[in-house]
Amino acid sequence: MLYREAGQFKTTYADDQALLPIAQDRIGLFIILAIAFVALPLFASEFFLSSIMIPFLVFSLAAIGLNILMGYAGQLSLGTGAFMGVGAYACYKLTTLYPDMSIIVVLLLSGVFSAAIGVVFGLPSLRIKGLYLAITTLAAQFFLEWCFIRIGWLYNYNDSGAIEVPTRTILGLAVTGPQATPLTRYMFILCVVTIMTLIAANVLRGRIGRSWMMIRDMDIAAELMGIKPLNAKLSAFAFSSYYCGVAGALMVFFWLGSAEVEAFDINHSFLILFMVIIGGMGSLTGCFMGAAFIWVLPVILRAIPSAFDLNLLAATMEHISSIVIGVLIIFFLIVEPHGLARLWQIGKEKLRTWPFPYAT
Amino acid sequence: MNIKKLGCSAIAFAAMAVGMPVAQAEDTLFMPSLTYRTGPFAGGGIPFADGYADYFNMLNERDGGIGGAKVVVEECETAYNTQKGVECYEATKGKGALAYSPLSTGISLAIIPKAPVDEIPVFSMGYGLSAAAIGEKFPWTFVYPTTYWNQLSSILKYIDSNGGIEGKKIGFIYLDVGYGKEPLPLLDSLSGTMGFEVAKYPIGVKEMQNQSAQWLNVRKDRPDWMIMWGWGAMNPTAVKEAAKIRFPLDRFIGNWWAGSHNDLRAVGQAGKGYLAANFSGIGTDFPALQDVITHVVDKGNSKVASKDDVGNVLYNRGLFNAVVLAEAVRVAQAKTGTAAITSADMRYGLENINLDEARLKELGLEGFTGPIKGSCSDHEGAGAVFMQQWNGEDWEKVTDLIEPMNDTVRPLLEEAAEKYISDKPEWQSQTCG
């Protein structure tokens, strides 16, 4: 009943092809956006914005990047961390070489470098598939990490070997660096993530996205039907790496403030991979759910003992939170191997017929 | 749990949920402790965190706090991970944190730029950015008792006084991250002025326990001395490899993160003769440590696994970290006349710290470390390191304090500080005092 689309008539093709054809979805999205853009900035504490919402949005964007490649184009990748690193280092180099360039332009350009590197490391995908491809992307991960350590030019030969974010302003308001308030940084990231998600949603349901899905489902059939695997696979790598690169730049510039190579190591790649698997492959909603599950849940778990005045050692809580998250991952994967997004989909189906499940 | 308790905790939870500050007893000093009791470096993080917490607990038990104000130590677990460290910083800074000891170079680098904005001093004791020793450029960052660069100069002085350094070949084996690479500029510049040759052996984080390839190079190059900037599992592995190729261990010197009990217990007798720099005393033969044992450890209020862990190298270093902070609180209290100081007062306290021999004796730490005297321009405090040697079972102090080559290092530090702030316009106007 709640999700019933009965009575919603489409009278134009545009209506029929809308991104969210069902009114309930549109209302739901509107409420979420209203909370994100209005309620949170007004009521949330600085800690909530800077340590929960900002990382959540950054990881969601990175998960979207990986999901495009893995969930939609079917190419397994373990190099997400390194591609994020390329974006971050490119952003750093660009903004230190051209300090007057707007940070928005720098951010969008840094994704281009990441996309180019992604295409190069995507080339083997034309010949190899599945786990073997995962190994070549692993090579990308290690090679790029090596570059970040060895090539001093990338971090301007800093004694610390780390990239440090300078202050950049938009219309006189500091958006990066220590002076930027969590609220400004949050709003900036929120705008970027919203727009990029919207673009991804439209690309994925268009011609390009469909060609990726055809390659994923059966590459030979896709080829016979006129899809060029070269274009489809490499464009998927480029698109995905672009998103990861921008997410990496956002991570360093709008969240951490500085980064060493370790911020982009293989564990980071795995973290994003888990978000995609838990959230659901081939679903944009799933990216946000996965990011929330993997990043936000532990933060909340860690905050529980202090809220109840329990005198638990911080390290004990860290162990407990790892255990709880691990158990939940196993639980969810057994209950629904297709991820949280699939659970949400089933929920929607149920809500459609609720409370009369047999009266379809 | 009865209904009343449940109700209370529900109210407490609700209070937390809406972000209401939970009322604390008056006059407390809040000291956040960013620990890494979990993760790959937990072996070093646990004793450090224990020493830090135990000293403050001892002050609470013995003296009722500092100047009448109780010290509240809140641990936040980082697992040596920068992202979690930043989260810990954000989570604790609003509670009135007086100073941060970030403990990892990555977290230090993330927090240092925030310090002047949030007005909370960063005390990275002997690690982090060496350039932060220049107080005029880094008013909110302190690196007592000495920096990586000065420590390296002390080690080189030790080599020089043991058979001369001119014309010798020095091998430098280091963890290939920001921390390990930090002394390289100084090493290169001193090799010219002091006339020695340098051979560098980087060890990647993933190769920490698999160093045979680099030690093969060491065997080929035959350096006269080896210096190590290592950490975690890298240290015991390196000492074992050195012993395996029969490199004379009394010519192998680790820095102060490469000379803990945890590192060498794993090596045991095979590591006999290995040297390491240190700046905090070894063992429990100090009145202050005896007080810690009486007031905290014996009462079961310490988190140490066994009483034997008290007094080991990293425990004492964590304790020394707390000693410096406590002394800074006292200086700040004397200036403001109030017990509950602010983090800005804390900065004044850290800057005007004066731990001379007499004061160290009063604190029950005579001979524990060298005197430290801070000033507006000197956030390093002119400290010094001594050498300790592993006798197969325990560390022994084998030299007196070795003064660093301040006159050589200081201009280089100033240059590095200048470079650090050159692309940060908002830093150029700030100064100490």
Side-chain angles (χ1 to χ4, degrees):
Chain A
M1 199 161 90
L2 290 175
Y3 247 103
R4 208 154 175 82
E5 66 273 38
Q8 298 178 21
F9 299 111
K10 314 275 190 310
T11 48
T12 59
Y13 284 119
D15 271 353
D16 208 24
Q17 292 172 353
L19 191 60
L20 297 169
I22 303 173
Q24 285 88 335
D25 278 340
R26 287 197 293 271
I27 296 167
L29 186 69
F30 179 77
I31 293 173
I32 291 172
L33 288 180
I35 291 174
F37 276 97
V38 182
L40 284 182
L42 283 179
F43 301 112
S45 68
E46 281 206 348
F47 172 72
F48 188 81
L49 288 182
S50 63
S51 289
I52 296 184
M53 286 313 289
I54 290 177
F56 163 66
L57 290 172
V58 168
F59 282 128
S60 301
L61 193 64
I64 290 175
L66 182 61
N67 214 338
I68 289 172
L69 190 62
M70 248 178 67
Y72 289 95
Q75 313 295 314
L76 200 53
S77 166
L78 292 175
T80 322
F83 294 136
M84 287 176 79
V86 174
Y89 278 83
C91 195
Y92 175 71
K93 277 312 285 187
L94 284 172
T95 196
T96 47
L97 283 175
Y98 310 102
D100 297 329
M101 200 192 271
S102 161
I103 188 71
I104 302 175
V105 179
V106 172
L107 192 69
L108 297 178
L109 276 180
S110 58
V112 175
F113 288 88
S114 183
I117 302 279
V119 168
V120 172
F121 283 98
L123 281 174
S125 70
L126 300 173
R127 283 296 181 87
I128 47 184
K129 285 181 214 166
L131 283 175
Y132 301 96
L133 180 64
I135 302 298
T136 60
T137 53
L138 200 61
Q141 171 76 39
F142 288 128
F143 174 73
L144 290 170
E145 259 185 63
W146 181 89
C147 291
F148 299 150
I149 296 175
R150 292 292 159 163
I151 304 176
W153 179 79
L154 283 175
Y155 49 85
N156 288 353
Y157 303 100
N158 277 335
D159 291 333
S160 55
I163 48 176
E164 288 142 2
V165 175
T167 301
R168 293 289 174 259
T169 56
I170 296 178
L171 305 173
L173 188 68
V175 288
T176 68
Q179 267 85 9
T181 61
L183 184 62
T184 349
R185 289 183 285 138
Y186 167 72
M187 287 309 279
F188 186 91
I189 293 193
L190 185 64
C191 293
V192 172
V193 173
T194 310
I195 293 168
M196 288 186 67
T197 311
L198 200 65
I199 294 172
N202 278 300
V203 168
L204 287 171
R205 69 201 188 106
R207 186 182 58 80
I208 304 172
R210 278 159 203 264
S211 72
W212 293 340
M213 284 183 258
M214 286 168 80
I215 290 285
R216 171 192 69 189
D217 291 340
M218 200 176 187
D219 49 357
I220 294 177
E223 208 175 342
L224 288 173
M225 288 160 94
I227 304 290
K228 282 188 186 153
L230 178 80
N231 292 0
K233 282 180 177 174
L234 291 189
S235 63
F237 263 98
F239 210 81
S240 152
S241 305
Y242 186 88
Y243 273 64
C244 291
V246 172
L250 285 177
M251 179 173 103
V252 175
F253 274 67
F254 292 83
W255 173 25
L256 297 176
S258 79
E260 289 183 292
V261 186
E262 288 88 89
F264 309 108
D265 65 359
I266 181 80
N267 292 329
H268 200 77
S269 300
F270 281 130
L271 196 72
I272 312 285
L273 185 71
F274 295 155
M275 286 174 186
V276 171
I277 294 174
I278 294 289
M281 290 212 268
S283 158
L284 287 181
T285 335
C287 296
F288 289 91
M289 292 180 176
F293 187 90
I294 300 274
W295 181 263
V296 181
L297 201 59
V299 178
I300 293 172
L301 276 178
R302 280 199 289 274
I304 287 176
S306 64
F308 283 99
D309 266 345
L310 293 175
N311 197 11
L312 263 184
L313 196 60
T316 319
M317 205 50 226
E318 184 73 25
H319 291 303
I320 295 176
S321 112
S322 301
I323 295 170
V324 171
I325 297 293
V327 168
L328 282 177
I329 288 176
I330 296 171
F331 172 78
F332 275 115
L333 287 185
I334 290 173
V335 172
E336 184 47 72
H338 296 289
L340 297 172
R342 178 80 187 133
L343 277 181
W344 168 234
Q345 184 118 40
I346 294 170
K348 274 203 313 196
E349 297 285 323
K350 293 242 157 82
L351 283 175
R352 188 167 182 264
T353 52
W354 181 85
F356 308 110
Y358 304 108
T360 34
Chain B
M1 191 185 273
N2 58 31
I3 298 292
K4 208 172 169 185
K5 262 191 190 162
L6 193 70
C8 284
S9 44
I11 290 166
F13 184 67
M16 286 302 288
V18 294
M20 233 166 67
V22 176
Q24 279 184 341
E26 249 183 291
D27 283 358
T28 55
L29 302 159
F30 183 73
M31 291 287 179
S33 169
L34 306 188
T35 62
Y36 49 107
R37 292 172 183 274
T38 64
F41 301 113
I46 293 169
F48 195 99
D50 287 341
Y52 182 89
D54 286 357
Y55 186 74
F56 281 127
N57 286 335
M58 188 273 283
L59 291 180
N60 283 343
E61 289 282 320
R62 193 187 64 183
D63 310 338
I66 305 170
K70 288 255 184 206
V71 185
V72 179
V73 177
E74 184 174 309
E75 293 198 352
C76 187
E77 179 62 27
T78 68
Y80 212 76
N81 173 315
T82 305
Q83 295 165 0
K84 281 193 188 146
V86 172
E87 185 199 319
C88 280
Y89 176 80
E90 298 287 344
T92 47
K93 78 171 186 196
K95 297 180 184 172
L98 291 181
Y100 280 94
S101 299
L103 278 177
S104 108
T105 301
I107 302 175
S108 308
L109 292 173
I111 295 182
I112 286 172
K114 295 185 206 277
V117 180
D118 295 328
E119 304 209 322
I120 305 173
V122 173
F123 175 41
S124 53
M125 191 176 68
Y127 54 90
L129 278 179
S130 291
I134 309 302
E136 291 107 328
K137 304 288 191 293
F138 289 85
W140 290 90
T141 314
F142 299 85
V143 289
Y144 303 131
T146 168
T147 57
Y148 283 138
W149 284 12
N150 263 332
Q151 175 186 206
L152 179 70
S153 73
S154 291
I155 293 176
L156 293 174
K157 250 173 106 172
Y158 173 81
I159 295 175
D160 200 23
S161 64
N162 278 279
I165 197 166
E166 212 171 336
K168 293 277 167 64
K169 187 188 252 186
I170 311 276
F172 185 72
I173 185 162
Y174 59 102
L175 189 63
D176 201 4
V177 295
Y179 149 70
K181 285 190 288 189
E182 176 140 355
L184 290 179
L186 182 74
L187 194 66
D188 289 335
S189 112
L190 286 184
S191 73
T193 51
M194 294 177 81
F196 59 86
E197 202 185 324
V198 183
K200 293 171 192 161
Y201 308 101
I203 303 286
V205 176
K206 289 174 195 72
E207 284 88 48
M208 283 205 295
Q209 282 164 296
N210 178 23
Q211 305 173 9
S212 3
Q214 289 291 18
W215 284 95
L216 212 63
N217 290 336
V218 173
R219 198 156 75 173
K220 207 168 62 195
D221 297 347
R222 294 175 169 275
D224 299 289
W225 288 81
M226 287 291 288
I227 300 177
M228 170 156 72
W229 242 246
W231 183 220
M234 172 175 167
N235 301 335
T237 316
V239 178
K240 276 181 205 161
E241 291 283 350
K244 210 190 277 174
I245 66 161
R246 297 180 194 283
F247 188 86
L249 286 181
D250 57 350
R251 293 183 163 248
F252 187 17
I253 309 176
N255 76 336
W256 60 54
W257 294 121
S260 76
H261 281 82
N262 310 42
D263 292 334
L264 267 293
R265 276 195 190 129
V267 185
Q269 287 294 335
K272 202 172 167 180
Y274 171 69
L275 291 156
N278 193 359
F279 57 72
S280 49
I282 315 161
T284 55
D285 293 339
F286 304 95
L289 271 133
Q290 290 304 324
D291 283 348
V292 169
I293 293 177
T294 340
H295 292 284
V296 184
V297 181
D298 284 347
K299 287 184 183 168
N301 291 332
S302 172
K303 282 156 199 148
V304 288
S306 87
K307 207 172 150 183
D308 300 340
D309 291 345
V310 177
N312 79 23
V313 170
L314 286 175
Y315 182 94
N316 282 7
R317 193 162 303 148
L319 181 132
F320 183 45
N321 194 327
V323 169
V324 174
L325 289 177
E327 188 62 15
V329 169
R330 288 191 197 100
V331 174
Q333 284 174 336
K335 182 210 170 204
T336 58
T338 53
I341 54 161
T342 65
S343 56
D345 301 332
M346 186 70 185
R347 195 199 77 79
Y348 173 87
L350 276 166
E351 192 161 277
N352 293 285
I353 204 162
N354 187 6
L355 275 173
D356 53 14
E357 300 283 0
R359 184 64 191 146
L360 282 169
K361 193 172 178 184
E362 269 172 47
L363 291 172
L365 291 167
E366 196 183 11
F368 187 80
T369 183
I372 299 174
K373 188 176 181 346
S375 70
C376 167
S377 62
D378 186 5
H379 281 194
E380 185 182 19
V385 295
F386 60 84
M387 289 293 158
Q388 56 179 15
Q389 191 162 34
W390 183 254
N391 66 9
E393 276 154 17
D394 203 357
W395 287 104
E396 276 170 16
K397 188 174 169 180
V398 289
T399 68
D400 285 331
L401 291 166
I402 304 169
E403 293 291 325
M405 297 186 263
N406 267 320
D407 42 339
T408 326
V409 178
R410 182 80 187 178
L412 293 166
L413 285 171
E414 271 166 11
E415 205 177 289
E418 201 61 53
K419 190 180 157 203
Y420 182 87
I421 65 162
S422 63
D423 59 347
K424 299 179 181 63
E426 71 276 10
W427 277 62
Q428 278 152 22
S429 58
Q430 64 174 358
T431 183
C432 57

